[in-house]
Amino acid sequence: MKADTANQAKPREIASVIRRILAENGRDYFWHYVFAVVCLVLVAGTTAFTAWIMRDVIDQIFYRHRGDLVALICLSIFGAFVIRGLATYGQAVTLAKIGNNLVARYQQRLFDHLMRLGMGFYNDTRSGQLAAQVNENVNGVRDLLSMTLTSIARDAVSLVGLVAVMVIQDPFLSAMSLLIGPPLIYAVAYLMRRLRRATREAVQINSRLIGAMQEATQGIAIVKAFTMEDVLSKRIGGLVAAAEQRANRIARVSERLNPIAEVLAGFAVSGVIAYAGYRATVGGQPPGTVFAFITALLLAYDPARRLARVQVGMERALVNARMIYEILDLKPQQHDAPDAAALRIERGEVRFEGISFGYAADAPVLRDVSFVAEAGKTTAIVGASGAGKSTLVALLQRFYDLDAGAIVIDGQDISAVTKKSLRGSIAYVSQQPYLFEGTIRDNIRYGRLSAADAEIEQAAGLAAADEFIRQQPQGYDTEVGENGVTLSGGQRQRLSIARAIVRDAPILLLDEATSALDNESEARVQQALGEVMHQRTTIVIAHRLSTVVNADRIVVLDQGRLVEQGTHAELLADPDGVYARFHRLNGGAGLGLVDDRGAGQDEAQPEAPATRRSRSSKAAGRTA
Ligand code: ADP
């Protein structure tokens, strides 16, 4: 979402965005639009008619005293108002329906698209802001269409009708009053330029504001623990003030049109009355024509002003619509190859063959890493924080594409198989167990949608979760709070392990939790993990010494390079090795390991998950 394009919007861009919205959605609404346009034309026609009939009202009824025409004239005026009322209603309801349906469509489309975008996009985007921006902008698309249609069909047609009435009644006066057109158009164009930048800034600041509020409330426990309330309040205060200031600037600029329009209109109306008054007193003309003319002029003022303003409103809507298309036009990366086949797992052997990767082009994170995670065995990856362990796990799931080398599962390069089949063969247990809105049962079932209830309960049993689930108010049908706040850390971990068991995938990726659990939870989580690791190819980012010691193979990463591999005993046998050295010095702490032989509840990795998420990735373009 680049801010620098804000100043380059051209009027014809409005047309091109509208054309695109229509091309993508218009066909489905065709008859709705036809109906709305008919209604709008009726509104415009009846408005012009009321101005036109004024001449007869004045001349026939009041000047010539034609009593026989009173009923006819009054009836036609009444009829015009009735038609206008019904048509206004029909038009408004139809346009609102189209608008609401458009909003619904774009919401769905955006969500679907967001789900398909790559990890690079999310590395660069804050989720709260994204949600706020989507919400704010979607309404812009609706406004853009209904505004164009209303202004063109109702106001423009009304204006044409009324100007026609004016010209028919008095061409000279018409020419005189239309003189205010050019200065009005110039004023609008000038204001528009000033408005464009402020509008875009306002949308961005507002979404930052809403996003910041959302993040602060999500992290409320940290906020309170670190007494960050005042600091955050000040920071939000800055955004609040900026948003207010932008909103005021937009109001000042866009409302400036009103005094300009009023002055010009006052000039036209008084000019017309002065000239017509002179003609009536000196030339003795009947007053009907002038009355009809002035009525048309006064009636024309509103649509003309609205038409002038519509561009102001459209400007905002255009900014919104463009921001939406900026998201929709992002191409999801990691496409499946055109001839991609489904991954066929026989044994589940994973080979990393000389892989290199960097998030940014000039900063390699992994360099020429080769090792084999043998089928059905456990491979532990150890290394200090920042060594590239999480990156390795992300690459195996093809969240990013490699710079060099290949990852091969049972002889098949993962870049040549479908992502769906690849990820379907992997069960992933993240360090931060994430629960989604829904019941406990739903959350386990996300592992495999086809899982029967019995399978879910069996998996929960294996994950040592069945007991506490049954103690919940509605058992398996208990709704989890946002991010599972009603469950303890250990319980959440066991739910996410149950999800992995239900998935029943041949390859298990495990990012071991570093956070402290109480002794009992810890033991239960380890037991649950033992179940799911059984007879699966397991690759684990190991933080616990016991995991490492029991692994079939240990891979030691240091600054993106594989420096050693072997079993615990083999690695210890080389007294000069990285692993042995660290192990000797501080029980593995230099490798980010927790010595859990005792209680297993130390906090060894200070790296908070939040810092992981907020790292910026210059490679977004490549991976989004
Ligand atoms: P580990 O899991 O071993 O702590 P990571 O794989 O998370 O290490 O990180 C390895 C390196 O890659 C670090 O230098 C880190 O700053 C960088 N890195 C990790 N994720 C990203 C990202 N999304 N964008 C840019 N750089 C990243």
Side-chain angles (χ1 to χ4, degrees):
M1 280 150 276
K2 296 156 276 151
D4 54 4
T5 47
N7 307 323
Q8 295 155 15
K10 309 236 166 54
R12 77 183 124 86
E13 250 204 87
I14 298 185
S16 83
V17 170
I18 291 177
R19 222 176 301 134
R20 179 160 176 196
I21 298 175
L22 281 179
E24 288 173 359
N25 310 283
R27 199 170 305 151
D28 305 329
Y29 300 127
F30 183 76
W31 290 110
H32 286 87
Y33 277 127
V34 169
F35 179 71
V37 166
V38 169
C39 289
L40 288 166
V41 169
L42 277 178
V43 173
T46 47
T47 307
F49 174 78
T50 40
W52 180 78
I53 198 84
M54 271 304 150
R55 188 184 62 185
D56 295 323
V57 171
I58 300 294
D59 285 355
Q60 305 299 339
I61 300 181
F62 296 107
Y63 199 70
R64 301 212 173 93
H65 305 292
R66 292 274 307 270
D68 54 324
L69 287 179
V70 172
L72 181 66
I73 290 175
C74 290
L75 213 62
S76 63
I77 292 178
F78 177 71
F81 273 86
V82 170
I83 293 175
R84 207 161 89 117
L86 291 176
T88 304
Y89 172 79
Q91 161 271 125
V93 170
T94 312
L95 286 184
K97 270 194 189 161
I98 296 177
N100 294 337
N101 187 259
L102 261 185
V103 167
R105 276 178 183 221
Y106 275 90
Q107 279 169 338
Q108 186 72 51
R109 234 179 109 182
L110 274 165
F111 183 78
D112 294 350
H113 186 71
L114 286 173
M115 289 296 100
R116 271 194 292 272
L117 284 180
M119 296 298 271
F121 175 78
Y122 291 95
N123 288 338
D124 279 353
T125 315
R126 303 193 74 91
S127 58
Q129 264 180 44
L130 186 67
Q133 212 175 49
V134 164
N135 187 32
E136 184 152 349
N137 287 330
V138 155
N139 292 323
V141 173
R142 169 184 61 188
D143 295 346
L144 190 61
L145 272 199
S146 59
M147 236 181 306
T148 348
L149 204 74
T150 325
S151 64
I152 290 175
R154 188 183 65 200
D155 294 333
V157 176
S158 297
L159 196 62
V160 168
L162 290 166
V163 168
V165 172
M166 284 160 65
V167 172
I168 293 168
Q169 302 289 6
D170 198 322
F172 181 74
L173 278 180
S174 308
M176 219 176 98
S177 37
L178 291 181
L179 278 182
I180 67 167
L184 194 61
I185 290 170
Y186 177 79
V188 167
Y190 168 75
L191 293 178
M192 217 53 56
R193 281 198 298 275
R194 314 227 13 202
L195 203 61
R196 199 165 285 150
R197 180 204 276 279
T199 306
R200 193 168 181 116
E201 283 173 1
V203 174
Q204 272 161 349
I205 289 176
N206 278 337
S207 49
R208 264 180 67 195
L209 179 63
I210 298 172
M213 285 186 181
Q214 198 173 322
E215 284 178 9
T217 48
Q218 273 169 356
I220 192 69
I222 308 283
V223 172
K224 289 191 184 299
F226 286 85
T227 54
M228 290 155 61
E229 291 95 336
D230 292 342
V231 181
L232 284 183
S233 186
K234 267 206 202 82
R235 290 185 61 167
I236 287 268
L239 283 175
V240 168
E244 183 185 357
Q245 192 232 342
R246 287 303 181 298
N248 282 340
R249 190 195 301 167
I250 291 176
R252 267 201 312 277
V253 175
S254 65
E255 294 308 322
R256 211 170 285 168
L257 192 61
N258 279 330
I260 297 177
E262 295 293 336
V263 169
L264 288 172
F267 180 75
V269 173
S270 52
V272 164
I273 293 178
Y275 178 73
Y278 165 79
R279 249 185 5 194
T281 41
V282 177
Q285 248 188 3
T289 309
V290 170
F291 258 89
F293 183 87
I294 292 178
T295 310
L297 182 60
L298 289 177
L299 283 177
Y301 174 59
D302 251 352
R305 205 190 43 173
R306 267 204 304 268
L307 268 184
R309 279 196 65 95
V310 84
Q311 240 211 318
V312 176
M314 266 204 220
E315 197 61 38
R316 186 184 176 93
L318 175 69
V319 169
N320 294 140
R322 279 172 57 199
M323 285 170 104
I324 287 207
Y325 278 122
E326 275 169 25
I327 296 179
L328 283 179
D329 289 345
L330 288 174
K331 291 268 173 297
Q333 301 283 303
Q334 293 92 38
H335 284 295
D336 286 343
D339 52 350
L343 177 68
R344 274 172 291 96
I345 302 254
E346 280 145 28
R347 301 168 49 237
E349 180 199 67
V350 183
R351 305 182 80 91
F352 292 80
E353 297 180 346
I355 63 164
S356 297
F357 172 77
Y359 292 95
D362 49 351
V365 168
L366 289 174
R367 296 167 230 222
D368 196 19
V369 172
S370 300
F371 69 94
V372 181
E374 281 175 53
K377 301 261 172 77
T378 296
T379 305
I381 302 170
V382 298
S385 174
K389 305 181 294 291
S390 310
T391 306
L392 201 68
V393 161
L395 290 173
L396 176 55
Q397 296 172 86
R398 207 164 160 231
F399 289 162
Y400 309 93
D401 284 328
L402 299 175
D403 293 337
I407 300 176
V408 179
I409 300 178
D410 281 348
Q412 302 149 80
D413 189 330
I414 63 163
S415 64
V417 300
T418 61
K419 286 197 304 280
K420 204 173 156 89
S421 67
L422 169 69
R423 294 174 189 167
S425 312
I426 296 175
Y428 175 54
V429 180
S430 62
Q431 200 177 89
Q432 267 257 314
Y434 196 87
L435 299 182
F436 297 86
E437 193 195 309
T439 63
I440 290 180
R441 193 190 304 281
D442 293 338
N443 266 286
I444 300 179
R445 183 169 279 137
Y446 281 128
R448 182 162 46 89
L449 294 179
S450 61
D453 283 357
E455 288 177 276
I456 287 174
E457 284 163 31
Q458 192 193 3
L462 286 173
D466 188 63
E467 193 183 331
F468 81 78
I469 294 175
R470 290 192 191 282
Q471 280 163 8
Q472 301 295 317
Q474 274 100 45
Y476 280 85
D477 296 313
T478 309
E479 293 275 336
V480 297
E482 189 174 353
N483 204 12
V485 281
T486 51
L487 298 173
S488 77
Q491 290 173 335
R492 268 182 272 166
Q493 272 174 356
R494 280 179 271 157
L495 281 190
S496 75
I497 292 168
R499 188 191 288 154
I501 295 177
V502 158
R503 190 161 191 79
D504 193 22
I507 298 169
L508 174 69
L509 286 183
L510 193 59
D511 196 347
E512 223 173 22
T514 56
S515 55
L517 296 174
D518 60 80
N519 279 346
E520 199 196 321
S521 296
E522 181 62 46
R524 283 170 179 270
V525 168
Q526 291 304 333
Q527 178 205 336
L529 283 175
E531 283 298 333
V532 65
M533 285 156 80
H534 185 63
Q535 294 202 330
R536 289 199 166 85
T537 308
T538 303
I539 297 177
V540 49
I541 299 179
H543 295 301
R544 308 205 165 273
L545 204 51
S546 58
T547 314
V548 182
V549 172
N550 295 328
D552 298 297
R553 180 193 298 260
I554 302 164
V555 169
V556 183
L557 286 184
D558 185 26
Q559 294 177 29
R561 289 184 196 282
L562 190 155
V563 286
E564 280 170 355
Q565 56 175 320
T567 62
H568 180 65
E570 284 165 10
L571 291 176
L572 280 189
D574 176 6
D576 295 330
V578 178
Y579 184 83
R581 211 166 50 233
F582 276 117
H583 193 262
R584 214 166 38 240
L585 284 178
N586 42 19
L591 289 170
L593 296 178
V594 182
D595 189 346
D596 54 354
R597 283 165 299 189
Q601 48 187 321
D602 310 51
E603 183 90 58
Q605 284 263 73
E607 186 191 31
T611 55
R612 223 172 250 271
R613 264 199 56 224
S614 57
R615 275 175 201 145
S616 90
S617 153
K618 293 187 207 99
R622 196 158 50 102
T623 56

